[in-house]
Amino acid sequence: MAQKRNHRKPHSALARDQRLFANSRVWTWEGLASPDNGQAYTTAENRTPFGWTVLPHDLAQQLVKRPRNWFIGVRALCRAPDGAEWMESRLIDLPSRNIQQVSNAYHELRADTLAAQRTSQVYDMGWICQTWSGKRPEDPMELWHYHYAPEGIIRQATNDEKLIRRMAGPGFSQERYDRWQQVNREYLEDRKRVLEQENAA
């Protein structure tokens, strides 16, 4: 008696990886410190049927080390002397690339974002990268890059109260402003030193 053939497709680690990280994001704010050690920290999250969940370190490393389709955004939180707030941002798409290999994109986007603002009005700066799979999603307002921005800034892009509550992060504080101003000074000094070394080589 002939055996029935198994028509299931062979297991593909790559296909499983692409499904697992089809809707993931990595983000940070330079002026927000970890409550554990006071240092800046990066958060990696994955979309599940139960909402966004934080990825453990090993999965976060897997997320960023393989080529994927990425939205990349650099954003500056700004506040005028009269209390008005807004977010200045620069966005690019990066299909089928490994974001660990494009660090210069961050430096360029960061400089371009800050060039449009008075540094004295910026109280934090950060970046966010989000994956997509298949056809690029349509998002006219680019709401993905408002994640963990202050509530008042998100309201400038949407009036969906449920979405605002889910996305909102902390807002302006003098401590956050002071910390970011110091981080920015150190960042600019480091970049100047690196560029000088590269030009001398």
Side-chain angles (χ1 to χ4, degrees):
M1 184 175 176
Q3 289 185 331
K4 292 183 179 180
R5 290 185 178 179
N6 187 341
H7 293 287
R8 290 186 302 176
K9 292 182 179 179
H11 172 73
S12 168
L14 180 59
R16 180 181 178 278
D17 175 87
Q18 293 297 320
R19 286 194 303 271
L20 177 62
F21 297 111
N23 196 353
S24 303
R25 63 188 177 206
V26 187
W27 55 275
T28 194
W29 288 106
E30 295 174 354
L32 291 182
S34 166
D36 297 328
N37 57 22
Q39 302 299 311
Y41 63 104
T42 301
T43 301
E45 298 175 318
N46 194 40
R47 186 68 180 267
T48 73
F50 307 102
W52 290 93
T53 59
V54 176
L55 289 170
H57 180 74
D58 59 333
L59 289 181
Q61 291 298 310
Q62 185 177 342
L63 168 65
V64 300
K65 75 179 182 180
R66 291 190 175 180
R68 307 189 190 282
N69 297 326
W70 293 99
F71 298 122
I72 296 180
V74 175
R75 44 202 186 152
L77 301 179
C78 309
R79 181 182 175 92
D82 64 3
E85 293 192 22
W86 66 98
M87 187 168 76
E88 184 76 26
S89 54
R90 297 292 183 271
L91 309 174
I92 62 171
D93 295 349
L94 199 64
S96 302
R97 294 290 295 278
N98 178 337
I99 61 172
Q100 288 184 327
Q101 299 171 341
V102 291
S103 59
N104 282 339
Y106 171 72
H107 299 304
E108 293 168 6
L109 290 172
R110 189 185 192 281
D112 190 35
T113 304
L114 280 182
Q117 299 299 319
R118 294 180 182 175
T119 305
S120 62
Q121 293 183 340
V122 178
Y123 67 89
D124 208 349
M125 186 131 198
W127 54 264
I128 183 167
C129 305
Q130 184 160 322
T131 62
W132 86 85
S133 181
K135 184 179 178 182
R136 185 190 189 282
E138 293 295 327
D139 184 1
M141 297 301 296
E142 302 286 7
L143 288 175
W144 64 272
H145 89 286
Y146 282 84
H147 175 70
Y148 220 63
E151 178 180 322
I153 289 176
I154 300 174
R155 288 186 184 280
Q156 297 170 17
T158 181
N159 58 8
D160 184 329
E161 291 295 331
K162 185 177 180 181
L163 182 61
I164 292 169
R165 288 193 300 272
R166 189 165 67 238
M167 293 178 68
F172 174 84
S173 70
Q174 189 63 43
E175 180 183 9
R176 187 175 187 181
Y177 175 88
D178 293 341
R179 176 181 171 84
W180 182 79
Q181 292 288 326
Q182 178 62 32
V183 168
N184 186 54
R185 286 190 291 270
E186 294 172 355
Y187 169 87
L188 293 176
E189 290 171 1
D190 287 344
R191 283 298 295 163
K192 181 181 179 181
R193 185 164 50 251
V194 168
L195 292 175
E196 288 175 347
Q197 290 173 349
E198 290 177 352
N199 290 333

